[in-house]
Amino acid sequence: MTFDALFEAQIARLKEDGNYRVFADLERAQGAFPKALNHCEDGERDVTVWCSNDYLGMGQHSDVLSAMHAAIDKSGAGAGGTRNISGTNHTHVQLEAELADLHGKEAALLFTSGYVSNWAALGTLGARLPNAVILSDALNHASMIEGIRHARCGKMIWKHNDMADLRAKLEACPEGATKIIAFESVYSMDGDIAPIAEICDLADEFGAMTYIDEVHAVGMYGPRGGGVVEELGLMDRITLIEGTLGKAFGVMGGYITGSAALVDFVRSFASGFIFTTALPPAIAAGALASIRYLKTSDVERQGQRAQVAKLRAALDAAGIPHLTNPSHIVPVMVKDPVKCKMLSDILMDQFGIYVQPINYPTVPKGEERLRFTPGPLHTDGDIDHLVRALSSLWSQCALARAVA
């Protein structure tokens, strides 16, 4: 048997189960988001993107684009290597100061992605703090899980958003353990939000650190886009806030914020920071412009919330089942992997609507869905077209409708 045969056998099983991922060949249309050009076998076609994590369309904003153009003209394309070897570009220094200010912390540290920032920070904390035990919410992101694995420290998994189970796990920690409670604010698949204040109360009671992933919340919540903890007035109760520049801020990269000592600790010991090339200056400049803009503009956040409300109301009127949650994420439940993929394909091919099917292992089997993320640049006409298309397909595929 050849090595390729080994690879192909496992890929074939993925396809049989309806869990094989196909990536759409898209070309975003600058200035026209959420419109994009889909390159396909038959040529090219215009589509509307409904599942982007560029939640506010900041990847197209003139302030961001201008800052990136200016940075390329001033500094060139790349960072030149790791910050340890090539030095820190001044834009990185400015961006870290801006992020620390955004979250009310003393310091911040940039990474190449949100995945890397979680993996590096949790891995470093768990590996180097004495007798560390990481208490992880059961639905934490894969990057957090990888960080905990990398730490090779004690770990406990508590039931999702279950304060009684978290308390029980804290009580079961060994005497003298350094306890780290790791959780997210907005969970990206169901769109639910953690009981952050209650988690902080337990952390205070048991002397635990709090580590929150705000990647789906930064830019989106709070008066300056500082996330759910800013909106709730809880920033001072969180030990470490982790976020991304690749979603609502519209560019790419990840970061952590916290006390000066904590950030210096991660900077000094995290291999995921030390040994990787830094973000290009143009990316950092674009993120800096985006954060500064969203600190003062609430127009995008309010527009986004208005479109979410309109989509939910239209789905309800059509009887299309979707999970109720307090966030900007609208999961339309299909609960069948083959049908979920089929619906996605038909929406693209026949209606010019791009939404990626979410199947196992991203969600449990039987919880397959289409995950919609309405933004301020989706028009009312876009919403009407989407819901009409879904309603037609729900009838064609004999899918159950929600009962009002």
Side-chain angles (χ1 to χ4, degrees):
M1 179 179 286
T2 67
F3 289 116
D4 279 353
L6 295 173
F7 306 146
E8 289 164 358
Q10 294 200 35
I11 292 297
R13 284 197 291 273
L14 267 184
K15 291 179 177 178
E16 289 170 6
D17 294 340
N19 294 323
Y20 181 71
R21 290 177 170 89
V22 177
F23 300 146
D25 186 348
L26 298 180
E27 186 177 347
R28 286 169 34 125
Q30 193 273 317
F33 185 77
K35 306 302 179 186
L37 192 65
N38 173 218
H39 298 269
C40 52
E41 292 181 0
D42 299 329
E44 300 174 347
R45 59 188 172 193
D46 294 323
V47 298
T48 301
V49 178
W50 272 101
C51 53
S52 174
N53 286 340
D54 186 359
Y55 294 131
L56 301 177
M58 290 302 293
Q60 307 282 312
H61 195 278
S62 59
D63 284 10
V64 175
L65 301 183
S66 295
M68 294 182 74
H69 282 297
I72 289 175
D73 292 339
K74 184 176 182 179
S75 301
T82 69
R83 289 167 67 172
N84 181 54
I85 291 173
S86 298
T88 291
N89 186 278
H90 184 58
T91 310
H92 295 143
V93 177
Q94 292 177 301
L95 178 54
E96 287 173 343
E98 201 74 33
L99 287 165
D101 173 77
L102 176 67
H103 294 293
K105 299 298 183 185
E106 292 178 341
L109 188 67
L110 289 171
F111 293 85
T112 49
S113 72
Y115 190 104
V116 174
S117 56
N118 266 332
W119 171 80
L122 275 170
T124 302
L125 291 170
R128 299 198 67 92
L129 292 178
N131 305 312
V133 175
I134 300 177
L135 299 102
S136 177
D137 184 283
L139 294 189
N140 276 344
H141 189 260
S143 59
M144 302 175 78
I145 295 169
E146 282 300 312
I148 296 167
R149 285 176 179 162
H150 180 69
R152 297 183 179 180
C153 65
K155 68 176 181 180
M156 293 185 177
I157 311 301
W158 46 285
K159 296 176 185 177
H160 178 55
N161 285 347
D162 187 324
M163 294 301 94
D165 193 49
L166 176 57
R167 172 179 286 279
K169 296 294 192 296
L170 285 164
E171 289 173 342
C173 283
E175 186 176 352
T178 302
K179 297 176 281 291
I180 306 166
I181 304 174
F183 61 105
E184 301 181 36
S185 57
V186 178
Y187 287 84
S188 64
M189 289 299 112
D190 288 352
D192 55 333
I193 295 177
I196 301 171
E198 290 88 341
I199 293 172
C200 290
D201 289 343
L202 285 174
D204 290 346
E205 182 179 345
F206 287 90
M209 289 176 55
T210 45
Y211 182 115
I212 191 168
D213 174 321
E214 284 254 59
V215 297
H216 291 279
V218 291
M220 302 292 292
Y221 301 89
R224 300 195 308 160
V228 176
V229 291
E230 183 195 27
E231 187 164 285
L232 298 176
L234 298 172
M235 288 193 295
D236 62 321
R237 302 188 68 189
I238 302 293
T239 311
L240 186 153
I241 299 173
E242 185 267 349
T244 185
L245 306 170
K247 294 183 170 61
F249 293 130
V251 195
M252 71 170 291
Y255 64 89
I256 62 167
T257 65
S259 69
L262 185 157
V263 170
D264 195 27
F265 174 82
V266 175
R267 182 193 68 85
S268 299
F269 293 112
S271 62
F273 173 79
I274 296 168
F275 297 107
T276 193
T277 299
L279 286 174
I283 297 292
L288 182 61
S290 183
I291 294 164
R292 285 176 174 171
Y293 176 84
L294 288 174
K295 279 182 175 179
T296 60
S297 175
D298 201 39
V299 172
E300 291 75 18
R301 286 187 282 273
Q302 293 303 321
Q304 191 269 345
R305 290 170 190 175
Q307 297 311 86
V308 168
K310 289 176 184 176
L311 177 58
R312 288 190 182 279
L315 291 172
D316 286 339
I320 304 299
H322 61 99
L323 291 183
T324 300
N325 63 53
S327 77
H328 57 284
I329 295 166
V330 183
V332 168
M333 305 306 292
V334 181
K335 298 189 176 183
D336 180 283
V338 176
K339 287 184 178 179
C340 196
K341 177 66 168 63
M342 180 181 68
L343 288 173
S344 173
D345 290 343
I346 296 173
L347 286 169
M348 179 76 106
D349 295 340
Q350 297 184 17
F351 297 96
I353 292 168
Y354 172 62
V355 60
Q356 186 74 355
I358 306 295
N359 290 348
Y360 178 84
T362 306
V363 295
K365 292 179 179 179
E367 294 296 317
E368 294 82 10
R369 66 200 61 187
L370 301 172
R371 175 184 176 273
F372 294 94
T373 53
L377 301 179
H378 285 103
T379 67
D380 292 353
D382 290 334
I383 293 174
D384 291 341
H385 177 60
L386 169 63
V387 175
R388 284 197 302 270
L390 286 172
S391 185
S392 173
L393 294 179
W394 239 250
S395 297
Q396 290 178 39
C397 298
L399 293 168
R401 292 187 184 254
V403 179

